[in-house]
Amino acid sequence: MAARKTSRAENEQKAPTPKGKAAAKKTPPAAKKAKANPPTPPKKTGASPWRTVKPEPEKAPEPGRALMVIPQPEPPPPKTPWQEFKAGLPDSLSDFLGFIVRGGHMAAWCGERGIPYTTMLTFISSDPRRSEMYLRAREDRADVLADEIVAISDEDTLEVKELAPGVKVAVFDKTAVARNRLRVEARKWVAAKLRPRVYGDKLEVESTVNHKAVPDDELLARLAALGVVLPSVMPQQGGEGGNA
């Protein structure tokens, strides 16, 4: 019989495996491809990575048990302009006196701040020290008015008029002159009332005369010491009795 030819695969199977070496397992091509490109797991649509916690329902109060309510303090009412002035003392009083010294007056100061004029006047008059400070501030205001009179007098009251094309003349502005004269006279009158000894037109002279009654005898003695001799003054008395 003819000998059967063995294939290469059969020879490899029959060949003995060398000692100390593990037999190599061959991986089929399809398995290699599947191992190189593992299948992608399907994505979950609409899934959120954050955990959603549902709020717990509010528990109803137990029957017969009242809830305690803690009262909250009410905000304080806004302060009035007069209360703010009183709270800012003594700085607010210094601001008021400075306003008077700079040429202002109490009515304007009260109107700007919404404070009643009579309330401020009563506050000043109720304390002798405050009254003295207010009077001193008014007197100092007279010096400010005097400085303003000088500044008004130095104002330029010229007006440039064009008489002809290219011909310009500087003339006095009659309206400005009349207005400045009125401003000066008003300040002079106020300054004379606030500080009459300095800015008043009349010189006030004060004198004190002490009169003391002297008896007749003492008066005659003084005259005699001066060389004047006068008969003594005796009261005349009517005669006793009389014609019936």
Side-chain angles (χ1 to χ4, degrees):
M1 293 178 63
R4 188 173 61 89
K5 292 181 179 181
T6 61
S7 61
R8 185 178 179 184
E10 293 176 355
N11 294 334
E12 290 178 357
Q13 291 177 359
K14 294 179 180 180
T17 302
K19 295 180 179 181
K21 292 184 179 181
K25 296 182 179 180
K26 291 186 178 182
T27 306
K32 290 182 178 181
K33 187 176 181 181
K35 189 176 181 181
N37 300 321
T40 305
K43 296 182 178 180
K44 296 181 180 181
T45 59
S48 176
W50 302 98
R51 182 182 177 185
T52 305
V53 179
K54 295 182 180 180
E56 297 181 358
E58 297 181 359
K59 296 181 180 179
E62 298 179 3
R65 184 177 179 182
L67 297 177
M68 183 178 62
V69 179
I70 301 176
Q72 300 295 331
E74 297 182 0
K79 293 183 179 180
T80 61
W82 176 245
Q83 291 176 346
E84 292 180 355
F85 174 81
K86 293 291 291 294
L89 291 174
D91 295 337
S92 56
L93 181 60
S94 299
D95 296 339
F96 166 72
L97 297 176
F99 180 83
I100 299 299
V101 171
R102 290 190 297 270
H105 48 89
M106 187 186 297
W109 187 88
C110 294
E112 292 177 0
R113 290 157 180 80
I115 297 177
Y117 177 83
T118 54
T119 303
M120 190 65 188
L121 184 61
T122 304
F123 173 75
I124 295 296
S125 303
S126 60
D127 187 6
R129 184 171 177 272
R130 287 196 292 263
S131 299
E132 184 180 356
M133 294 170 62
Y134 177 63
L135 292 177
R136 182 69 59 84
R138 286 172 58 89
E139 291 181 358
D140 294 341
R141 185 176 64 176
D143 299 335
V144 177
L145 295 176
D147 296 338
E148 291 180 357
I149 290 174
V150 177
I152 293 172
S153 302
D154 294 339
E155 287 182 1
D156 188 7
T157 56
L158 295 178
E159 182 183 5
V160 179
K161 291 186 177 181
E162 187 174 0
L163 301 180
V167 179
K168 296 182 180 181
V169 179
V171 297
F172 284 101
D173 187 359
K174 296 181 180 180
T175 304
V177 172
R179 184 182 67 252
N180 288 351
R181 182 182 295 110
L182 178 62
R183 294 169 64 190
V184 168
E185 292 298 328
R187 283 162 173 78
K188 285 175 59 178
W189 185 85
V190 175
K193 296 299 180 181
L194 294 177
R195 186 168 286 183
R197 294 185 178 182
V198 179
Y199 303 107
D201 296 333
K202 296 181 180 179
L203 180 62
E204 296 182 359
V205 180
E206 297 181 359
S207 61
T208 303
V209 178
N210 295 326
H211 176 72
K212 183 179 180 181
V214 180
D216 295 342
D217 297 338
E218 183 179 352
L219 181 60
L220 292 174
R222 291 182 181 182
L223 292 175
L226 296 176
V228 179
V229 179
L230 294 176
S232 60
V233 179
M234 299 295 293
Q236 296 181 359
Q237 298 179 357
E240 297 179 0
N243 296 329

